[in-house]
Amino acid sequence: MSTEPRTVTEPRTVVADYVAAVARGDADAVRDAFTEDAVWTYPGDLPLSGEWRGRRAIVEDFLGSIGGLIAPGTAVEVALVGEPVVQGDRVVAEWTSRCTTVHGRLYENLNLGVFTVRDGRIAAVREYTDTHRAATVLFADGE
């Protein structure tokens, strides 16, 4: 993580930059996008559902656990859908996720997140997605 002072960026740009960092696989930029005390809430009753508290838990445990679900040598493709909607420090963004699972299945899903940005970093995310799709494709045992 950078120790240089961070220029405070508009919330829309913070979220767009985060999605772009995920898309290009820039782990340092992804880590740096979050405040130390950030919280990510993921819906449903999947192994990764729940509330992830703190930058380390979000990046290493939550986002990092997704790596074990995708085929080796591949990556998750993410892209914003349209322009994020901004109201003050809140950004609502929609994005697509696509990857090949470890079982060779194509996973595609549409996600929506309500991001709260504080001092140029993401402080909170409440994500909404089709958890049934995730359960039947990402977490299926390869039947």
Side-chain angles (χ1 to χ4, degrees):
M1 185 172 89
S2 174
T3 57
E4 296 178 22
R6 185 173 178 93
T7 303
V8 176
T9 307
E10 292 297 316
R12 177 189 320 266
T13 304
V14 170
V15 172
D17 288 351
Y18 163 74
V19 174
V22 172
R24 69 177 181 272
D26 186 340
D28 290 336
V30 168
R31 176 177 296 283
D32 199 41
F34 293 95
T35 62
E36 282 290 337
D37 63 345
V39 177
W40 191 303
T41 305
Y42 190 84
D45 57 3
L46 299 171
L48 54 79
S49 295
E51 194 171 83
W52 300 86
R53 294 188 161 275
R55 177 189 289 147
R56 188 204 59 74
I58 291 169
V59 173
E60 294 175 20
D61 300 336
F62 173 64
L63 297 175
S65 70
I66 296 167
L69 302 172
I70 64 170
T74 67
V76 176
E77 299 170 25
V78 297
L80 283 174
V81 175
E83 284 293 316
V85 177
V86 181
Q87 183 177 16
D89 64 354
R90 290 206 152 187
V91 179
V92 177
E94 186 177 20
W95 69 95
T96 57
S97 302
R98 184 173 199 235
C99 69
T100 302
T101 71
V102 292
H103 302 296
R105 293 185 175 139
L106 176 63
Y107 172 75
E108 293 180 298
N109 213 338
L110 187 60
N111 312 277
L112 184 123
V114 179
F115 294 78
T116 301
V117 176
R118 183 177 72 228
D119 298 326
R121 288 195 168 93
I122 298 167
V125 182
R126 180 170 299 278
E127 184 174 347
Y128 300 90
T129 192
D130 181 349
T131 55
H132 178 72
R133 177 94 176 132
T136 58
V137 178
L138 277 179
F139 292 96
D141 63 5
E143 301 165 350

